PDB file of all heavy atoms in Angstrom:
ATOM      1  N   ALA F   1       7.513  16.316 -20.782  1.00 80.00           N
ATOM      2  CA  ALA F   1       7.755  17.740 -20.592  1.00 80.00           C
ATOM      3  C   ALA F   1       8.068  18.113 -19.152  1.00 80.00           C
ATOM      4  O   ALA F   1       8.708  19.131 -18.899  1.00 80.00           O
ATOM      5  CB  ALA F   1       6.543  18.545 -21.069  1.00 80.00           C
ATOM      6  N   MET F   2       7.635  17.292 -18.197  1.00 87.00           N
ATOM      7  CA  MET F   2       7.699  17.678 -16.797  1.00 87.00           C
ATOM      8  C   MET F   2       8.673  16.884 -15.949  1.00 87.00           C
ATOM      9  O   MET F   2       9.462  17.456 -15.199  1.00 87.00           O
ATOM     10  CB  MET F   2       6.310  17.546 -16.157  1.00 87.00           C
ATOM     11  CG  MET F   2       6.265  17.893 -14.679  1.00 87.00           C
ATOM     12  SD  MET F   2       4.691  17.513 -13.867  1.00 87.00           S
ATOM     13  CE  MET F   2       3.568  18.595 -14.725  1.00 87.00           C
ATOM     14  N   MET F   3       8.674  15.569 -16.044  1.00 92.00           N
ATOM     15  CA  MET F   3       9.226  14.720 -15.003  1.00 92.00           C
ATOM     16  C   MET F   3      10.736  14.543 -15.053  1.00 92.00           C
ATOM     17  O   MET F   3      11.328  14.367 -16.117  1.00 92.00           O
ATOM     18  CB  MET F   3       8.571  13.335 -15.058  1.00 92.00           C
ATOM     19  CG  MET F   3       7.044  13.358 -14.971  1.00 92.00           C
ATOM     20  SD  MET F   3       6.417  14.032 -13.430  1.00 92.00           S
ATOM     21  CE  MET F   3       6.821  12.706 -12.283  1.00 92.00           C
ATOM     22  N   TYR F   4      11.347  14.575 -13.885  1.00 93.00           N
ATOM     23  CA  TYR F   4      12.749  14.213 -13.708  1.00 93.00           C
ATOM     24  C   TYR F   4      12.819  12.754 -13.252  1.00 93.00           C
ATOM     25  O   TYR F   4      12.192  12.377 -12.265  1.00 93.00           O
ATOM     26  CB  TYR F   4      13.416  15.076 -12.642  1.00 93.00           C
ATOM     27  CG  TYR F   4      13.753  16.486 -13.070  1.00 93.00           C
ATOM     28  CD1 TYR F   4      13.038  17.561 -12.578  1.00 93.00           C
ATOM     29  CD2 TYR F   4      14.817  16.730 -13.941  1.00 93.00           C
ATOM     30  CE1 TYR F   4      13.361  18.861 -12.941  1.00 93.00           C
ATOM     31  CE2 TYR F   4      15.137  18.030 -14.306  1.00 93.00           C
ATOM     32  CZ  TYR F   4      14.408  19.084 -13.804  1.00 93.00           C
ATOM     33  OH  TYR F   4      14.732  20.368 -14.163  1.00 93.00           O
ATOM     34  N   LYS F   5      13.611  11.953 -13.954  1.00 93.00           N
ATOM     35  CA  LYS F   5      13.770  10.554 -13.576  1.00 93.00           C
ATOM     36  C   LYS F   5      15.030  10.368 -12.740  1.00 93.00           C
ATOM     37  O   LYS F   5      16.065  10.987 -13.011  1.00 93.00           O
ATOM     38  CB  LYS F   5      13.840   9.652 -14.806  1.00 93.00           C
ATOM     39  CG  LYS F   5      13.794   8.164 -14.470  1.00 93.00           C
ATOM     40  CD  LYS F   5      13.786   7.295 -15.708  1.00 93.00           C
ATOM     41  CE  LYS F   5      13.567   5.824 -15.343  1.00 93.00           C
ATOM     42  NZ  LYS F   5      14.450   5.324 -14.283  1.00 93.00           N
ATOM     43  N   ILE F   6      14.935   9.512 -11.720  1.00 94.00           N
ATOM     44  CA  ILE F   6      16.097   9.161 -10.906  1.00 94.00           C
ATOM     45  C   ILE F   6      16.911   8.104 -11.659  1.00 94.00           C
ATOM     46  O   ILE F   6      16.401   7.027 -11.972  1.00 94.00           O
ATOM     47  CB  ILE F   6      15.674   8.617  -9.531  1.00 94.00           C
ATOM     48  CG1 ILE F   6      14.735   9.597  -8.820  1.00 94.00           C
ATOM     49  CG2 ILE F   6      16.911   8.326  -8.673  1.00 94.00           C
ATOM     50  CD1 ILE F   6      15.319  10.947  -8.551  1.00 94.00           C
ATOM     51  N   GLU F   7      18.159   8.407 -11.964  1.00 94.00           N
ATOM     52  CA  GLU F   7      18.995   7.507 -12.740  1.00 94.00           C
ATOM     53  C   GLU F   7      19.183   6.168 -12.024  1.00 94.00           C
ATOM     54  O   GLU F   7      19.489   6.111 -10.837  1.00 94.00           O
ATOM     55  CB  GLU F   7      20.365   8.152 -13.000  1.00 94.00           C
ATOM     56  CG  GLU F   7      21.248   7.360 -13.948  1.00 94.00           C
ATOM     57  CD  GLU F   7      22.548   8.075 -14.267  1.00 94.00           C
ATOM     58  OE1 GLU F   7      22.710   9.237 -13.828  1.00 94.00           O
ATOM     59  OE2 GLU F   7      23.397   7.471 -14.951  1.00 94.00           O
ATOM     60  N   GLY F   8      18.972   5.085 -12.783  1.00 96.00           N
ATOM     61  CA  GLY F   8      19.168   3.741 -12.255  1.00 96.00           C
ATOM     62  C   GLY F   8      18.072   3.244 -11.334  1.00 96.00           C
ATOM     63  O   GLY F   8      18.192   2.160 -10.751  1.00 96.00           O
ATOM     64  N   GLU F   9      16.984   4.019 -11.186  1.00 96.00           N
ATOM     65  CA  GLU F   9      15.886   3.636 -10.304  1.00 96.00           C
ATOM     66  C   GLU F   9      14.561   3.767 -11.052  1.00 96.00           C
ATOM     67  O   GLU F   9      14.422   4.601 -11.941  1.00 96.00           O
ATOM     68  CB  GLU F   9      15.840   4.553  -9.068  1.00 96.00           C
ATOM     69  CG  GLU F   9      17.115   4.569  -8.248  1.00 96.00           C
ATOM     70  CD  GLU F   9      17.095   3.644  -7.095  1.00 96.00           C
ATOM     71  OE1 GLU F   9      16.069   2.955  -6.910  1.00 96.00           O
ATOM     72  OE2 GLU F   9      18.098   3.606  -6.374  1.00 96.00           O
ATOM     73  N   ASP F  10      13.595   2.964 -10.673  1.00 95.00           N
ATOM     74  CA  ASP F  10      12.242   3.125 -11.196  1.00 95.00           C
ATOM     75  C   ASP F  10      11.511   4.158 -10.335  1.00 95.00           C
ATOM     76  O   ASP F  10      10.510   3.874  -9.687  1.00 95.00           O
ATOM     77  CB  ASP F  10      11.494   1.792 -11.197  1.00 95.00           C
ATOM     78  CG  ASP F  10      10.076   1.936 -11.788  1.00 95.00           C
ATOM     79  OD1 ASP F  10       9.875   2.830 -12.634  1.00 95.00           O
ATOM     80  OD2 ASP F  10       9.179   1.164 -11.373  1.00 95.00           O
ATOM     81  N   LEU F  11      12.031   5.377 -10.358  1.00 95.00           N
ATOM     82  CA  LEU F  11      11.484   6.453  -9.550  1.00 95.00           C
ATOM     83  C   LEU F  11      11.578   7.773 -10.304  1.00 95.00           C
ATOM     84  O   LEU F  11      12.548   8.028 -11.015  1.00 95.00           O
ATOM     85  CB  LEU F  11      12.224   6.578  -8.215  1.00 95.00           C
ATOM     86  CG  LEU F  11      11.966   5.508  -7.155  1.00 95.00           C
ATOM     87  CD1 LEU F  11      12.937   5.655  -6.002  1.00 95.00           C
ATOM     88  CD2 LEU F  11      10.523   5.575  -6.640  1.00 95.00           C
ATOM     89  N   TYR F  12      10.544   8.601 -10.118  1.00 95.00           N
ATOM     90  CA  TYR F  12      10.503   9.944 -10.678  1.00 95.00           C
ATOM     91  C   TYR F  12      10.221  10.951  -9.561  1.00 95.00           C
ATOM     92  O   TYR F  12       9.453  10.661  -8.640  1.00 95.00           O
ATOM     93  CB  TYR F  12       9.394  10.068 -11.725  1.00 95.00           C
ATOM     94  CG  TYR F  12       9.642   9.310 -13.007  1.00 95.00           C
ATOM     95  CD1 TYR F  12       9.432   7.942 -13.085  1.00 95.00           C
ATOM     96  CD2 TYR F  12      10.066   9.974 -14.151  1.00 95.00           C
ATOM     97  CE1 TYR F  12       9.647   7.241 -14.268  1.00 95.00           C
ATOM     98  CE2 TYR F  12      10.276   9.290 -15.343  1.00 95.00           C
ATOM     99  CZ  TYR F  12      10.065   7.922 -15.386  1.00 95.00           C
ATOM    100  OH  TYR F  12      10.271   7.240 -16.567  1.00 95.00           O
ATOM    101  N   LEU F  13      10.839  12.133  -9.640  1.00 96.00           N
ATOM    102  CA  LEU F  13      10.490  13.226  -8.744  1.00 96.00           C
ATOM    103  C   LEU F  13       9.126  13.762  -9.141  1.00 96.00           C
ATOM    104  O   LEU F  13       8.848  13.948 -10.328  1.00 96.00           O
ATOM    105  CB  LEU F  13      11.530  14.343  -8.826  1.00 96.00           C
ATOM    106  CG  LEU F  13      12.940  14.024  -8.309  1.00 96.00           C
ATOM    107  CD1 LEU F  13      13.890  15.169  -8.654  1.00 96.00           C
ATOM    108  CD2 LEU F  13      12.918  13.790  -6.803  1.00 96.00           C
ATOM    109  N   ILE F  14       8.268  14.017  -8.167  1.00 95.00           N
ATOM    110  CA  ILE F  14       6.917  14.474  -8.489  1.00 95.00           C
ATOM    111  C   ILE F  14       6.924  15.908  -9.005  1.00 95.00           C
ATOM    112  O   ILE F  14       7.700  16.751  -8.559  1.00 95.00           O
ATOM    113  CB  ILE F  14       5.954  14.357  -7.294  1.00 95.00           C
ATOM    114  CG1 ILE F  14       6.444  15.180  -6.098  1.00 95.00           C
ATOM    115  CG2 ILE F  14       5.751  12.895  -6.915  1.00 95.00           C
ATOM    116  CD1 ILE F  14       5.402  15.266  -4.972  1.00 95.00           C
ATOM    117  N   GLY F  15       6.047  16.178  -9.973  1.00 93.00           N
ATOM    118  CA  GLY F  15       5.862  17.534 -10.469  1.00 93.00           C
ATOM    119  C   GLY F  15       4.794  18.274  -9.698  1.00 93.00           C
ATOM    120  O   GLY F  15       4.688  19.496  -9.755  1.00 93.00           O
ATOM    121  N   THR F  16       3.976  17.520  -8.958  1.00 93.00           N
ATOM    122  CA  THR F  16       2.926  18.029  -8.092  1.00 93.00           C
ATOM    123  C   THR F  16       2.505  16.897  -7.178  1.00 93.00           C
ATOM    124  O   THR F  16       2.558  15.721  -7.572  1.00 93.00           O
ATOM    125  CB  THR F  16       1.711  18.553  -8.890  1.00 93.00           C
ATOM    126  OG1 THR F  16       0.595  18.738  -8.010  1.00 93.00           O
ATOM    127  CG2 THR F  16       1.310  17.595  -9.984  1.00 93.00           C
ATOM    128  N   SER F  17       2.073  17.213  -5.968  1.00 94.00           N
ATOM    129  CA  SER F  17       1.712  16.147  -5.037  1.00 94.00           C
ATOM    130  C   SER F  17       0.442  15.414  -5.460  1.00 94.00           C
ATOM    131  O   SER F  17       0.142  14.332  -4.948  1.00 94.00           O
ATOM    132  CB  SER F  17       1.550  16.691  -3.617  1.00 94.00           C
ATOM    133  OG  SER F  17       0.522  17.658  -3.541  1.00 94.00           O
ATOM    134  N   GLU F  18      -0.313  15.990  -6.398  1.00 95.00           N
ATOM    135  CA  GLU F  18      -1.461  15.265  -6.940  1.00 95.00           C
ATOM    136  C   GLU F  18      -1.056  13.883  -7.434  1.00 95.00           C
ATOM    137  O   GLU F  18      -1.799  12.911  -7.288  1.00 95.00           O
ATOM    138  CB  GLU F  18      -2.088  16.070  -8.088  1.00 95.00           C
ATOM    139  CG  GLU F  18      -3.134  15.320  -8.893  1.00 95.00           C
ATOM    140  CD  GLU F  18      -2.869  15.360 -10.388  1.00 95.00           C
ATOM    141  OE1 GLU F  18      -2.267  16.326 -10.859  1.00 95.00           O
ATOM    142  OE2 GLU F  18      -3.287  14.409 -11.091  1.00 95.00           O
ATOM    143  N   HIS F  19       0.153  13.794  -8.021  1.00 95.00           N
ATOM    144  CA  HIS F  19       0.608  12.523  -8.577  1.00 95.00           C
ATOM    145  C   HIS F  19       0.660  11.424  -7.523  1.00 95.00           C
ATOM    146  O   HIS F  19       0.117  10.334  -7.702  1.00 95.00           O
ATOM    147  CB  HIS F  19       1.995  12.689  -9.217  1.00 95.00           C
ATOM    148  CG  HIS F  19       2.018  13.637 -10.363  1.00 95.00           C
ATOM    149  ND1 HIS F  19       3.158  14.273 -10.780  1.00 95.00           N
ATOM    150  CD2 HIS F  19       1.026  14.073 -11.179  1.00 95.00           C
ATOM    151  CE1 HIS F  19       2.884  15.042 -11.805  1.00 95.00           C
ATOM    152  NE2 HIS F  19       1.596  14.947 -12.064  1.00 95.00           N
ATOM    153  N   SER F  20       1.320  11.698  -6.418  1.00 96.00           N
ATOM    154  CA  SER F  20       1.425  10.675  -5.380  1.00 96.00           C
ATOM    155  C   SER F  20       0.133  10.557  -4.572  1.00 96.00           C
ATOM    156  O   SER F  20      -0.165   9.481  -4.042  1.00 96.00           O
ATOM    157  CB  SER F  20       2.616  10.954  -4.451  1.00 96.00           C
ATOM    158  OG  SER F  20       2.671  12.267  -4.025  1.00 96.00           O
ATOM    159  N   MET F  21      -0.661  11.618  -4.490  1.00 97.00           N
ATOM    160  CA  MET F  21      -1.915  11.550  -3.746  1.00 97.00           C
ATOM    161  C   MET F  21      -2.946  10.668  -4.454  1.00 97.00           C
ATOM    162  O   MET F  21      -3.631   9.863  -3.827  1.00 97.00           O
ATOM    163  CB  MET F  21      -2.477  12.957  -3.525  1.00 97.00           C
ATOM    164  CG  MET F  21      -1.657  13.805  -2.561  1.00 97.00           C
ATOM    165  SD  MET F  21      -1.495  13.042  -0.938  1.00 97.00           S
ATOM    166  CE  MET F  21      -3.206  12.995  -0.433  1.00 97.00           C
ATOM    167  N   ILE F  22      -3.072  10.816  -5.768  1.00 97.00           N
ATOM    168  CA  ILE F  22      -3.953   9.929  -6.524  1.00 97.00           C
ATOM    169  C   ILE F  22      -3.355   8.523  -6.555  1.00 97.00           C
ATOM    170  O   ILE F  22      -4.067   7.524  -6.447  1.00 97.00           O
ATOM    171  CB  ILE F  22      -4.179  10.460  -7.952  1.00 97.00           C
ATOM    172  CG1 ILE F  22      -4.874  11.830  -7.910  1.00 97.00           C
ATOM    173  CG2 ILE F  22      -5.012   9.472  -8.770  1.00 97.00           C
ATOM    174  CD1 ILE F  22      -6.250  11.835  -7.296  1.00 97.00           C
ATOM    175  N   GLY F  23      -2.034   8.444  -6.686  1.00 97.00           N
ATOM    176  CA  GLY F  23      -1.355   7.151  -6.665  1.00 97.00           C
ATOM    177  C   GLY F  23      -1.581   6.380  -5.377  1.00 97.00           C
ATOM    178  O   GLY F  23      -1.472   5.154  -5.357  1.00 97.00           O
ATOM    179  N   LYS F  24      -1.887   7.080  -4.303  1.00 97.00           N
ATOM    180  CA  LYS F  24      -2.163   6.435  -3.013  1.00 97.00           C
ATOM    181  C   LYS F  24      -3.262   5.378  -3.132  1.00 97.00           C
ATOM    182  O   LYS F  24      -3.281   4.402  -2.386  1.00 97.00           O
ATOM    183  CB  LYS F  24      -2.580   7.499  -1.982  1.00 97.00           C
ATOM    184  CG  LYS F  24      -2.906   6.998  -0.593  1.00 97.00           C
ATOM    185  CD  LYS F  24      -3.253   8.171   0.322  1.00 97.00           C
ATOM    186  CE  LYS F  24      -3.453   7.728   1.760  1.00 97.00           C
ATOM    187  NZ  LYS F  24      -4.606   6.813   1.920  1.00 97.00           N
ATOM    188  N   PHE F  25      -4.146   5.543  -4.091  1.00 98.00           N
ATOM    189  CA  PHE F  25      -5.297   4.661  -4.221  1.00 98.00           C
ATOM    190  C   PHE F  25      -5.119   3.595  -5.301  1.00 98.00           C
ATOM    191  O   PHE F  25      -6.077   2.902  -5.654  1.00 98.00           O
ATOM    192  CB  PHE F  25      -6.553   5.494  -4.525  1.00 98.00           C
ATOM    193  CG  PHE F  25      -6.890   6.485  -3.447  1.00 98.00           C
ATOM    194  CD1 PHE F  25      -6.452   7.803  -3.528  1.00 98.00           C
ATOM    195  CD2 PHE F  25      -7.632   6.104  -2.346  1.00 98.00           C
ATOM    196  CE1 PHE F  25      -6.759   8.717  -2.529  1.00 98.00           C
ATOM    197  CE2 PHE F  25      -7.945   7.009  -1.341  1.00 98.00           C
ATOM    198  CZ  PHE F  25      -7.506   8.320  -1.437  1.00 98.00           C
ATOM    199  N   ILE F  26      -3.908   3.433  -5.825  1.00 98.00           N
ATOM    200  CA  ILE F  26      -3.663   2.476  -6.905  1.00 98.00           C
ATOM    201  C   ILE F  26      -4.051   1.058  -6.483  1.00 98.00           C
ATOM    202  O   ILE F  26      -3.800   0.630  -5.354  1.00 98.00           O
ATOM    203  CB  ILE F  26      -2.176   2.530  -7.345  1.00 98.00           C
ATOM    204  CG1 ILE F  26      -1.945   1.677  -8.604  1.00 98.00           C
ATOM    205  CG2 ILE F  26      -1.236   2.107  -6.221  1.00 98.00           C
ATOM    206  CD1 ILE F  26      -0.563   1.869  -9.219  1.00 98.00           C
ATOM    207  N   ASP F  27      -4.697   0.355  -7.407  1.00 97.00           N
ATOM    208  CA  ASP F  27      -5.089  -1.046  -7.195  1.00 97.00           C
ATOM    209  C   ASP F  27      -5.915  -1.237  -5.923  1.00 97.00           C
ATOM    210  O   ASP F  27      -5.693  -2.169  -5.144  1.00 97.00           O
ATOM    211  CB  ASP F  27      -3.854  -1.959  -7.140  1.00 97.00           C
ATOM    212  CG  ASP F  27      -3.196  -2.119  -8.494  1.00 97.00           C
ATOM    213  OD1 ASP F  27      -3.907  -2.160  -9.504  1.00 97.00           O
ATOM    214  OD2 ASP F  27      -1.951  -2.195  -8.540  1.00 97.00           O
TER     215      ASP F  27
END
């Protein structure tokens, strides 16, 4: 419902900075 995907890339535009902020702690 929310995310825009970058064509040809494994990348999405964030819908909120929470996504990348929580992602900062991955693994």
Side-chain angles (χ1 to χ4, degrees):
M2 179 188 296
M3 305 298 288
Y4 284 108
K5 189 177 187 310
I6 306 300
E7 187 176 354
E9 302 264 0
D10 182 28
L11 287 171
Y12 290 79
L13 293 172
I14 59 171
T16 166
S17 61
E18 170 232 331
H19 297 157
S20 47
M21 291 302 298
I22 298 297
K24 180 178 186 296
F25 299 95
I26 188 170
D27 289 324

